[in-house]
Amino acid sequence: MIDVSKGTARRLVDIHGWSAAVLGLALYIVVFSGAIVVFSHEIGNWSVSGHKQGEGIAGNIDAKLISLAEQVDEDYLEEVTLFQNSAGELITFFHTHVNNDEGELEEKGTRFVLDPDSLEILSRDDGFREDMPIISSGFLERFYIDLHVRLHAPGVIGLYLTGILGLILFVSAVSGFILHRHLIKDVFLSPRLSTRLMNTRDRHALAGTWGLVFSILLAFTGAFFSFATTLGLPVIAITAFAGDQHLALETIIGIPEAEDDTPKNFVGLEAIITNSQQEDVAGSTPIFIAVQHWGRADSRVITTHGPTAEGSMFFTNHRYDGVTGEYLGEKPGLGNVPSTGSTVIGLIGVLHFGWFAGLLSRIIWLSLGLAMCYVTLTGLQLWVQRREKSDTWQSLSRFISVIGYGLPFSMVTAAVGFLFSYSSSEYDVENWTVTGFLLGVVLSFIVGFVYPVAEQREKLFQKITGLGFISLPIIRLLTSEQSWAEYSHAIAVMSMDISLFITGLILLVLSTGIMRAKRFNVKASVETSATEPAFEAKA
Amino acid sequence: MSQIKQPQSNKFRYLRSSRFWLAGPATLIVSIFIMAAMSLWLPEGKASIDHLVFPLVLFPLIWVIVFFYVVLENNIKRARWVMLALLLLNALPVIASILGWLK
Amino acid sequence: MSVQLITLLACAVSFTCLVYLRNRDPKRRRVFRLAVWDKKRYPTLAWLLCFIPGVVLLYIEQYSAFIMWLAALSLIGWTVALPKPKV
């Protein structure tokens, strides 16, 4: 697209190719899991068959919360959070902020998991937040999200990894844009069938061209989420706050008002939630509630509301007095008064998550993610097809299908592990989900090594992944001990079942090879003639 | 690909290229300093947070711009000087702030 | 009209323009050896028309519909260009 000197073009080709050859598959894992977790709430709801459908956060919760507040250490009343997870369970965390063994400020307190209908305590845990056991009902969703956010690497390492992959995607998109000779001319060019190499090249370039803008946007916003707290905030804290990260974070989030620790009774949440549901306030049930200084004169309640299809596309926060219940107005996401910075962060969330306008936006974002996977995988195929004579690259090429199909397959087997363990014993959920995933990975590698012929291997992968998808709704039905009739109200569960089934069918159809009608002319035709000395042909 | 075409070069030839070091570690350091320095000169905005939020948001973009500058600059000598200038220009206020001279 | 409906409408308009552009695209026709399009074609006009839904959505302040339309455009364009022409 942009004319660069020969040497520069060569450098760009090296960067574009080698960065992808080395990290492309890791990037694919992040992008694919990212596309899937656009539907994380639905997955969470589906994984437990939507079994807990009490009134939850919108019900009568005050009496229970007040009795819980009496059972915990008084220090833990500094902040109380409450939300309902995708499985329907209420999770409330009474906590304070103290230094952990490594000297880092961390949340410490008591966490209760409550049944949304009876409000019975399902579990109680005390201690640092990081050390708490997983909440089994939300584990499958959590597992997929962690795969996307940190590739399951511990602590900040995972975030650095995904941040670096975000930058790699950014660099690949920009270098691809510069290198593509006929970006505009080729914008409607259906992949040519002259040779396999040319076909792959065209498929990669066409999908990359159309996906250019949004792969840059998603890479950029993703890199921001990875680096903002792990790299940016510490650096800013050192520069402008003498190293005090806590103060830096507090300044950004919004400095709290002057303290007043006179004991005063907490007003309760029911009236506040009802108020926030009014059209002129937020118009929806809060997805998250934070109470600061429970039982003190300076108590504040902040309700967070998700974006809705017809309302705001941003997450919104509303502030209430924790003693009188008086509405104190909207609180911006960051800072105490509206600002450009807060709006920009809101917009980054909108663009990265794709949750801003209900189902349609989520479907589009899922498709964007899958389209980016296609660009990544065809790019890798192109790389190995250009190295047809190198045995090393040819044997490495099987990793493309091992990971390409293996990841969806392993995510399916993780779900199978979850479904079986969740129905039998909730304490084994973590173990069995992880084991399921690892079994899927091992099986994928076995298939990769047993089948040396690419076509055979891919067909088998399509078959087992397709069967895996189809088995999911069946296993869910069997393990949940509930029939279709009872799910007429749980639309999310039903539509997930149907979508999984259809996805499986599509893969099975693909595995029959009907769609593989491509024939490549051995004889070079018009389009590969000397009129197009594209850089790609050099390698 | 290059090792096929250029038998005389080895796999680690990049380690001897100053552009590799400029585009790798140097770019990272320079962009971190640019981000840090931004928090000192950007306007605070209405909520006094804009100067803190924007460097965080822009960091990936800053890195990519510096990276592509180094890659696309044909004159490697000039690239070296520009990077040095960027580093000094941004590191000085940051160091001054850390040492408390700006108060 | 709901946001979803507006978005789909905007996408439909852009889709039509992209199909028009695709069918008359000179390189695509040349590469797949279709007859040269000798009738008049209006590529600039079609491209403008393709992006007009976006301008309209911004003008009527349907920002979430605008973002969805823009994202969907990248997918629509790809699916329009991908299939090989019928000879």
Side-chain angles (χ1 to χ4, degrees):
Chain A
M1 196 57 200
I2 295 168
D3 250 338
V4 288
S5 71
K6 231 177 174 178
T8 313
R10 182 171 192 86
R11 278 199 294 282
L12 286 172
V13 174
D14 277 357
I15 290 165
H16 189 87
W18 278 104
S19 64
V22 176
L23 292 168
L25 287 172
L27 179 62
Y28 163 77
I29 295 175
V30 173
V31 175
F32 182 83
S33 53
I36 299 304
V37 299
V38 171
F39 281 94
S40 60
H41 293 312
E42 286 76 5
I43 291 171
N45 196 294
W46 170 87
S47 65
V48 294
S49 302
H51 71 311
K52 280 172 181 161
Q53 297 291 333
E55 279 190 292
I57 216 163
N60 299 322
I61 49 175
D62 279 352
K64 185 71 189 185
L65 285 176
I66 287 166
S67 90
L68 292 180
E70 284 160 4
Q71 297 172 30
V72 301
D73 189 318
E74 215 171 283
D75 288 345
Y76 297 166
L77 297 179
E78 183 191 325
E79 190 168 5
V80 183
T81 57
L82 174 71
F83 72 99
Q84 192 166 10
N85 74 2
S86 310
E89 291 172 344
L90 285 175
I91 291 144
T92 177
F93 185 36
F94 293 78
H95 64 272
T96 182
H97 301 83
V98 288
N99 283 324
N100 62 10
D101 297 341
E102 282 113 51
E104 288 159 358
L105 209 58
E106 220 199 292
E107 293 172 346
K108 186 184 180 190
T110 307
R111 184 186 72 188
F112 297 98
V113 178
L114 309 174
D115 184 277
D117 210 20
S118 63
L119 298 183
E120 171 201 350
I121 299 175
L122 300 174
S123 70
R124 174 191 169 138
D125 294 289
D126 295 88
F128 282 108
R129 195 168 107 121
E130 294 292 309
D131 305 334
M132 292 212 172
I134 57 127
I135 297 169
S136 54
S137 61
F139 187 67
L140 187 65
E141 178 189 6
R142 182 81 254 151
F143 183 79
Y144 290 161
I145 292 175
D146 274 352
L147 188 59
H148 172 63
V149 173
R150 53 179 87 229
L151 285 169
H152 288 293
V156 293
I157 300 171
L159 287 169
Y160 279 133
L161 273 176
T162 51
I164 290 168
L165 291 170
L167 291 179
I168 294 283
L169 177 58
F170 201 147
V171 166
S172 305
V174 175
S175 55
F177 169 74
I178 298 174
L179 283 170
H180 193 328
R181 290 259 175 127
H182 308 289
L183 192 88
I184 303 287
K185 237 199 224 168
D186 287 0
V187 83
F188 289 113
L189 182 63
S190 173
R192 285 165 281 196
L193 297 170
S194 47
T195 59
R196 178 183 285 276
L197 187 67
M198 181 62 98
N199 186 263
T200 312
R201 183 242 160 227
D202 280 357
R203 285 194 291 143
H204 177 63
L206 187 71
T209 303
W210 283 100
L212 186 71
V213 174
F214 272 83
S215 34
I216 287 179
L217 273 178
L218 291 171
F220 171 57
T221 50
F224 161 77
F225 281 121
S226 284
F227 286 133
T229 52
T230 53
L231 178 75
L233 198 66
V235 168
I236 300 283
I238 291 168
T239 314
F241 293 90
D244 190 341
Q245 275 196 52
H246 183 59
L247 183 63
L249 193 61
E250 204 170 57
T251 310
I252 291 178
I253 290 171
I255 301 261
E257 294 153 73
E259 300 219 351
D260 177 1
D261 59 4
T262 327
K264 285 263 171 76
N265 275 344
F266 180 64
V267 65
L269 290 175
E270 287 166 24
I272 288 175
I273 291 168
T274 313
N275 181 287
S276 74
Q277 286 169 325
Q278 286 169 10
E279 277 307 320
D280 54 341
V281 184
S284 63
T285 307
I287 53 166
F288 188 83
I289 297 170
V291 182
Q292 280 142 11
H293 302 153
W294 177 293
R296 283 172 34 167
D298 58 355
S299 174
R300 290 283 178 273
V301 178
I302 295 174
T303 63
T304 304
H305 300 260
T308 51
E310 304 296 325
S312 166
M313 61 177 179
F314 297 106
F315 286 86
T316 56
N317 303 289
H318 296 269
R319 270 184 338 143
Y320 291 88
D321 190 302
V323 176
T324 62
E326 185 196 352
Y327 179 50
L328 301 173
E330 192 171 341
K331 185 206 173 292
L334 300 175
N336 286 324
V337 291
S339 62
T340 327
S342 184
T343 312
V344 167
I345 299 283
L347 202 60
I348 286 186
V350 165
L351 289 173
H352 193 80
F353 301 133
W355 291 341
F356 57 95
L359 188 64
L360 184 61
S361 69
R362 270 175 291 177
I363 292 176
I364 295 173
W365 252 247
L366 168 71
S367 320
L368 282 176
L370 296 180
M372 279 159 64
C373 291
Y374 181 88
V375 181
T376 315
L377 292 179
T378 48
L380 288 168
Q381 278 173 350
L382 185 58
W383 173 268
V384 292
Q385 280 174 20
R386 282 195 187 132
R387 287 158 185 75
E388 236 166 22
K389 289 186 187 118
S390 152
D391 289 337
T392 326
W393 283 112
Q394 288 317 305
S395 51
L396 284 176
S397 76
R398 62 180 72 185
F399 281 105
I400 301 174
S401 55
V402 169
I403 308 280
Y405 287 106
L407 176 66
F409 179 67
S410 309
M411 285 170 81
V412 166
T413 51
V416 172
F418 176 89
L419 289 172
F420 275 120
S421 54
Y422 187 72
S423 59
S424 53
S425 111
E426 289 200 18
Y427 300 100
D428 294 332
V429 162
E430 187 175 11
N431 271 338
W432 278 106
T433 310
V434 176
T435 312
F437 186 78
L438 293 177
L439 273 177
V441 173
V442 170
L443 214 65
S444 307
F445 274 88
I446 293 176
V447 171
F449 286 103
V450 170
Y451 290 84
V453 183
E455 203 164 313
Q456 269 184 337
R457 190 169 58 224
E458 271 164 32
K459 277 184 182 168
L460 184 64
F461 267 127
Q462 284 163 349
K463 266 197 197 93
I464 57 171
T465 317
L467 287 175
F469 271 110
I470 290 176
S471 74
L472 283 181
I474 298 168
I475 294 174
R476 189 197 61 73
L477 268 174
L478 292 178
T479 53
S480 70
E481 297 166 2
Q482 289 178 50
S483 70
W484 270 92
E486 287 168 61
Y487 287 108
S488 51
H489 62 285
I491 297 167
V493 179
M494 286 219 301
S495 24
M496 275 287 292
D497 274 350
I498 297 169
S499 315
L500 288 167
F501 195 75
I502 294 174
T503 313
L505 278 186
I506 293 175
L507 280 165
L508 286 184
V509 170
L510 282 178
S511 73
T512 59
I514 296 175
M515 307 294 282
R516 237 179 234 269
K518 262 177 217 141
R519 281 185 305 274
F520 301 106
N521 311 327
V522 183
K523 219 168 55 181
S525 56
V526 187
E527 63 262 35
T528 47
S529 66
T531 52
E532 277 209 73
F535 77 89
E536 295 88 350
K538 281 193 299 194
Chain B
M1 55 162 61
S2 352
Q3 60 265 47
I4 305 163
K5 291 202 92 176
Q6 301 174 341
Q8 75 275 18
S9 68
N10 66 47
K11 279 177 196 151
F12 297 103
R13 71 193 154 94
Y14 282 113
L15 296 180
R16 286 199 301 274
S17 136
S18 69
R19 203 185 292 273
F20 171 80
W21 295 104
L22 274 182
T27 298
L28 183 65
I29 293 166
V30 167
S31 43
I32 287 176
F33 272 115
I34 293 178
M35 166 174 74
M38 268 178 118
S39 67
L40 301 172
W41 58 261
L42 274 176
E44 288 195 343
K46 275 180 259 169
S48 317
I49 57 160
D50 287 359
H51 64 303
L52 305 173
V53 169
F54 275 97
L56 300 183
V57 172
L58 292 176
F59 173 71
L61 198 62
I62 296 169
W63 183 87
V64 167
I65 290 172
V66 176
F67 178 80
F68 274 101
Y69 166 71
V70 175
V71 172
L72 295 176
E73 173 64 86
N74 281 320
N75 186 339
I76 188 74
K77 225 180 222 166
R78 185 160 57 199
R80 240 176 270 156
W81 283 111
V82 168
M83 290 290 275
L84 190 66
L86 273 178
L87 182 67
L88 291 179
L89 198 66
N90 290 289
L92 286 179
V94 171
I95 290 165
S97 167
I98 292 172
L99 296 178
W101 296 345
L102 295 183
K103 274 175 191 154
Chain C
M1 214 166 21
S2 78
V3 177
Q4 261 87 358
L5 214 63
I6 298 179
T7 312
L8 292 175
L9 197 70
C11 290
V13 173
S14 300
F15 173 78
T16 320
C17 299
L18 289 172
V19 170
Y20 172 91
L21 281 162
R22 175 195 75 177
N23 290 344
R24 287 153 183 76
D25 186 66
K27 177 149 184 187
R28 186 181 164 97
R29 296 190 75 86
R30 191 179 73 232
V31 163
F32 287 93
R33 295 174 179 168
L34 301 176
V36 178
W37 189 271
D38 43 14
K39 276 171 263 171
K40 199 112 179 75
R41 37 181 228 111
Y42 304 93
T44 323
L45 196 71
W47 274 116
L48 275 177
L49 199 61
C50 172
F51 283 98
I52 277 186
V55 179
V56 173
L57 289 177
L58 282 182
Y59 183 75
I60 59 173
E61 298 184 358
Q62 290 288 348
Y63 299 116
S64 52
F66 172 78
I67 300 174
M68 278 194 281
W69 165 82
L70 195 63
L73 191 65
S74 69
L75 297 162
I76 294 171
W78 180 41
T79 40
V80 164
L82 194 62
K84 83 176 173 114
K86 289 186 192 79
V87 185

